[in-house]
Amino acid sequence: MIPAHVPENRIVNFDIFNPPGVEDDYFAAWKTLLQGPGLVWTTANGGHWIAARGDVVRNLWNDSARLSNQCLAVTPGLGEVMQFIPLQQDGAEHKAFRMAVMKGLASRYVVALEPRVVEIAGELIANLRPRGSCDFVAEFAEVLPLNIFLSLIDVPLEDRPRLRQLGVQLTRPDGSMTVEGLKQAADDYLWPFIQKRMAEPGDDLFSHILSEPVMGRGWTEDEARRMCRNLLFGGLDTVAAMFGMVALHLALNPQDQRLLREQPDLIPAAADELMRRYPTVAVSRNAVTDIEVDGVTICKGDLVYLPSVLHNLDPASFDAPEEVRFDRDLTPIRHTTMGVGAHRCVGAGLARMEVIVFLREWLSQMPEFRLDLTQPVRMKGGNVGACITLPLVW
């Protein structure tokens, strides 16, 4: 049922998990919304608003006073069940817990992790190069960042396939698991590690965070579960998705491969620009008060979906946004790939470092690569869109 406050001319039928044409081109599927008003109401997934213009996406993403993060996603019941810390918190509580997480992810730890990223990237590349082809997603993009994250929290690397499936069910659910089942699977896996970290802190990410006091006290077991649950799901999908999109761009644009091979000092700027050009993360917010936006009213309790793709690819936000320009001025970084405001991704520094290392190591050790035209590239929508198959040859 469409709420009475939703104007008829704002109603669309747009399923964020399966936009029309998403299997072939995630970005083209989403860009169809840029042709209409800045805020639309979709009848899919129980009904919710979608911010459909760059300024509306960014302004609402940054509006933590009137929009809460407690809903987590448009998936019914997901927010109520997951109760992530700090992602689903607001105000002073969010600030206190986020500070502890940020200290655990301090830049010195990210810098110390870089040699391990280089090592794993080198091992993967050495195994792939003699073959002359690969499915980049399954054999690199879903391996490197997940292995790094599992190393960071000090859990067995052989658990990667099992945990990867949990991450996919959160961001691109297929109905095979209930929300409650997904949470329970994560908690059952994490609890032995949490108990050990709280009793005997080590040098892993969970230990670093749980040893940081929150509001002058230690973490409760419930808070520790909710935080570790948040970081587990946060680390399982987003960087892998970004790797896939970056590799797809380079496979389609050999001139950019050549430029970065010849001028590797451009790689950090290239990483920033490619992350801007290929955003696939979206967040959901629920209004805690009525908000007037783009000539309509978001009423208290309404859910609003904020896709980074519709900010980063809006011509009103960036000049020629679909062009990749390694000399594009992104200082201060204004794209929304990693979010904006109080809830900007706590792992943004780690993600950027991983993309830079991937570009540097892959381009220095692999010959020029291209798409394998005998096999299709496939994409999927969701709270984190991604390539699910990316066949490459060299």
Side-chain angles (χ1 to χ4, degrees):
M1 185 175 179
I2 299 169
H5 65 281
V6 177
E8 187 175 347
N9 65 350
R10 299 298 178 112
I11 299 171
V12 298
N13 182 19
F14 189 94
D15 183 352
I16 62 152
F17 296 107
N18 192 29
V22 72
E23 276 208 348
D24 297 319
D25 192 329
Y26 171 89
F27 302 98
W30 271 100
K31 279 171 51 193
T32 59
L33 291 183
L34 281 174
Q35 301 165 12
L39 195 67
V40 296
W41 177 275
T42 178
T43 55
N45 298 299
H48 59 86
W49 294 106
I50 300 175
R53 195 175 65 224
D55 60 323
V56 178
V57 172
R58 189 168 177 85
N59 290 340
L60 290 177
W61 204 314
N62 201 27
D63 193 346
S64 57
R66 298 184 296 175
L67 289 166
S68 169
N69 208 35
Q70 291 183 8
C71 65
L72 184 61
V74 303
T75 306
L78 190 65
E80 292 84 351
V81 169
M82 289 299 175
Q83 293 294 300
F84 286 154
I85 286 177
L87 185 59
Q88 287 180 255
Q89 296 172 307
D90 297 306
E93 182 183 53
H94 168 258
K95 184 176 181 180
F97 281 94
R98 179 184 171 89
M99 183 61 68
V101 174
M102 291 294 288
K103 287 181 178 179
L105 276 166
S107 59
R108 66 181 182 275
Y109 297 126
V110 173
V111 170
L113 194 62
E114 184 170 337
R116 179 63 176 152
V117 182
V118 172
E119 179 186 1
I120 295 176
E123 292 172 355
L124 293 172
I125 292 167
N127 288 330
L128 292 174
R129 179 168 178 162
R131 290 172 38 189
S133 66
C134 73
D135 178 348
F136 180 83
V137 171
E139 298 180 275
F140 191 92
E142 292 186 349
V143 180
L144 174 58
L146 269 71
N147 280 10
I148 291 302
F149 180 73
L150 298 185
S151 298
L152 194 58
I153 62 176
D154 194 21
V155 302
L157 296 184
E158 57 265 29
D159 293 344
R160 176 176 55 81
R162 170 186 173 189
L163 296 176
R164 172 65 182 157
Q165 287 307 307
L166 296 184
V168 170
Q169 290 303 320
L170 183 84
T171 57
R172 297 183 291 279
D174 62 9
S176 63
M177 293 185 76
T178 65
V179 170
E180 293 78 7
L182 181 59
K183 176 213 169 189
Q184 195 60 51
D187 282 1
D188 289 346
Y189 177 81
L190 287 170
W191 180 237
F193 298 104
I194 296 171
Q195 284 183 302
K196 183 178 180 181
R197 306 299 191 267
M198 295 186 81
E200 302 173 14
D203 196 35
D204 59 282
L205 178 61
F206 286 169
S207 294
H208 290 158
I209 295 171
L210 292 171
S211 64
E212 289 288 340
V214 178
M215 296 177 285
R217 59 168 178 80
W219 293 69
T220 68
E221 287 187 358
D222 177 66
E223 290 164 350
R225 286 178 184 266
R226 293 166 61 193
M227 182 276 294
C228 293
R229 190 187 306 147
N230 188 167
L231 289 191
L232 177 70
F233 281 116
L236 290 178
D237 203 32
T238 52
V239 180
M242 179 55 64
F243 275 19
M245 294 302 182
V246 169
L248 175 61
H249 172 86
L250 293 174
L252 291 171
N253 294 275
Q255 73 280 3
D256 284 347
Q257 288 190 52
R258 297 180 199 122
L259 177 61
L260 295 179
R261 293 177 201 275
E262 294 166 1
Q263 300 183 50
D265 57 309
L266 292 177
I267 285 177
D272 290 332
E273 170 66 349
L274 289 165
M275 291 168 74
R276 177 207 66 81
R277 171 59 182 85
Y278 296 101
T280 62
V281 174
V283 298
S284 302
R285 298 284 190 265
N286 48 293
V288 297
T289 186
D290 290 356
I291 308 171
E292 300 296 323
V293 178
D294 194 48
V296 297
T297 301
I298 300 172
C299 287
K300 181 179 179 179
D302 284 355
L303 192 149
V304 188
Y305 195 73
L306 307 174
S308 58
V309 60
L310 295 187
H311 172 253
N312 290 8
L313 297 187
D314 186 343
S317 300
F318 294 93
D319 178 51
E322 294 183 64
E323 291 183 18
V324 170
R325 302 174 180 172
F326 296 154
D327 60 351
R328 188 186 293 271
D329 183 11
L330 291 172
T331 54
I333 294 177
R334 297 180 296 111
H335 66 68
T336 315
T337 301
M338 294 293 177
V340 61
H343 286 278
R344 188 172 188 270
C345 176
V346 293
L350 175 60
R352 181 177 185 268
M353 181 269 282
E354 289 181 281
V355 173
I356 290 172
V357 170
F358 151 53
L359 287 170
R360 189 175 66 219
E361 300 305 310
W362 186 276
L363 292 173
S364 66
Q365 298 179 50
M366 277 287 196
E368 190 169 294
F369 58 96
R370 62 192 183 279
L371 294 182
D372 180 351
L373 299 181
T374 67
Q375 302 180 62
V377 175
R378 286 286 177 259
M379 301 187 185
K380 196 166 184 179
N383 298 313
V384 181
C387 288
I388 54 175
T389 60
L390 179 58
L392 301 181
V393 293
W394 52 87

